[in-house]
Amino acid sequence: MTTNFDAATYKPPHYFKENEVPGMTDFLNTVKFTKDNLVPVIVQDMDTGDILMQAFADRAAINETLQTKLATFYSRSRQGRWCKGETSGHFIEVNRVFLDCDRDSLIYLSKPIGPACHTGSKTCYFEEVLIDSGSSPSDPPRVSQERVKKSDVHAPLTTLYALEKTIRDRKQALEDETAGRSSPVPGAKPSWTAKLLGKPTLLCKKIREEASELCETLEKKEGADRAASEFSDLIYHAMVLLSLQGVEFGKVLGILRKRFAQSGIEERAKRAPKAGDDPSKNE
């Protein structure tokens, strides 16, 4: 939607008034708005799980969001309607809307079109609050803040994305050393990730080994813990391969989500055959 976006000519999509939509008023009446008639909204990336931003919505904004599937809020600073992206083209496409157990906050499960933060970062959350232990048990802890300007440097990362970042950092360090831009750190421990990145044949061999060992956990009834361990090994090595090919993990999750509503058998049947494929193996 951001391609050749022109805010001057953009026209919001049509939507109906609250009282024209069956069930809309009944739903909005159950939401516990503040005394200012607002409710906090958390925007979450539907694929990565990233918390992108937090804003407020009134009845009109929720009504519009549910119909247009574009994240719309009430801006307290502007004192009015605010559809994210109408000036920048960085819209947020809302896939699903969730109401919490107390009915006083919402989640917009979404797909961002461009950065969510006005700073140009993908998320508004990139300043971590740290608490350090005192120098002795009798000393109080100390709270500090990590102030950074870009979320790609210090954004909160879930486990797989933290792993992806570690692999990416190893790859960059290896490239810098190879190009002579940096020297190995004296006394540093050897990196298995760096070794795999530098030896694609070894990497592919390990992936095949780990896949075989995962299958053996089922065939030999080795149990859930063993299966989880072998799957962890397989994921790690597969993510090193993705990094080597420049594929972001978010792209994989996006492909998986698109397949949710499609039969796996139908999806496989539509794939273009590879040279040497035996169709009978897909049966």
Side-chain angles (χ1 to χ4, degrees):
M1 190 175 290
T2 58
T3 303
N4 300 320
F5 177 76
D6 185 355
T9 59
Y10 171 76
K11 293 183 179 180
H14 171 74
Y15 63 94
F16 294 94
K17 295 179 180 178
E18 175 189 325
N19 61 6
E20 296 174 331
V21 181
M24 184 67 76
T25 296
D26 290 340
F27 160 64
L28 291 174
N29 284 343
T30 70
V31 178
K32 295 180 180 178
F33 293 93
T34 66
K35 62 181 181 180
D36 297 321
N37 297 315
L38 301 175
V39 64
V41 179
I42 299 293
V43 180
Q44 183 177 19
D45 190 301
M46 61 190 289
D47 290 325
T48 68
D50 288 343
I51 302 301
L52 302 177
M53 59 176 287
Q54 184 262 317
F56 291 87
D58 59 3
R59 296 177 71 101
I62 299 173
N63 173 61
E64 182 176 343
T65 298
L66 288 171
Q67 294 186 61
T68 65
K69 304 299 183 183
L70 296 177
T72 306
F73 311 97
Y74 180 89
S75 171
R76 294 177 299 173
S77 60
R78 304 175 189 179
Q79 291 291 295
R81 171 190 173 278
W82 169 42
C83 178
K84 178 79 171 77
E86 282 189 341
T87 56
S88 65
H90 298 155
F91 291 91
I92 294 177
E93 297 179 348
V94 179
N95 179 264
R96 301 172 73 182
V97 175
F98 292 85
L99 189 65
D100 86 324
C101 59
D102 292 322
R103 309 189 76 82
D104 59 4
S105 66
L106 295 169
I107 287 180
Y108 288 173
L109 193 63
S110 311
K111 188 66 179 177
I113 308 300
C117 185
H118 72 282
T119 64
S121 297
K122 66 178 183 178
T123 170
C124 294
Y125 295 91
F126 48 84
E127 292 189 13
E128 184 175 5
V129 180
L130 306 173
I131 184 163
D132 301 320
S133 300
S135 56
S136 69
S138 60
D139 293 333
R142 182 174 62 87
V143 174
S144 61
Q145 285 181 268
E146 283 286 337
R147 291 189 171 274
V148 292
K149 294 182 178 180
K150 291 293 180 181
S151 65
D152 54 358
V153 175
H154 207 214
L157 297 174
T158 51
T159 302
L160 288 177
Y161 282 93
L163 173 59
E164 181 182 50
K165 182 179 184 302
T166 298
I167 295 171
R168 185 169 59 245
D169 290 346
R170 296 286 192 277
K171 181 183 177 185
Q172 185 61 57
L174 181 63
E175 291 174 351
D176 289 344
E177 288 180 17
T178 303
R181 292 189 293 267
S182 65
S183 301
V185 179
K189 296 180 180 180
S191 167
W192 175 244
T193 300
K195 184 174 182 178
L196 292 172
L197 288 167
K199 296 184 177 181
T201 301
L202 173 63
L203 173 59
C204 290
K205 178 183 177 182
K206 291 300 298 181
I207 291 175
R208 294 186 180 99
E209 287 179 1
E210 300 300 345
S212 177
E213 290 173 2
L214 176 60
C215 291
E216 287 179 2
T217 65
L218 176 62
E219 296 164 345
K220 297 181 179 180
K221 297 180 173 60
E222 295 176 342
D225 289 345
R226 183 65 177 170
S229 176
E230 293 299 341
F231 187 57
S232 298
D233 290 340
L234 179 58
I235 285 181
Y236 159 70
H237 286 89
M239 289 183 69
V240 175
L241 185 146
L242 289 180
S243 180
L244 197 58
Q245 293 189 284
V247 179
E248 294 187 356
F249 193 63
K251 183 174 183 178
V252 176
L253 296 180
I255 292 173
L256 286 174
R257 181 173 286 277
K258 289 179 181 178
R259 294 178 180 175
F260 282 176
Q262 184 178 15
S263 162
I265 295 175
E266 293 177 351
E267 188 276 327
R268 289 183 65 86
K270 292 179 180 179
R271 294 184 190 179
K274 296 180 181 179
D277 275 357
D278 181 358
S280 64
K281 293 183 178 180
N282 293 329
E283 297 179 355

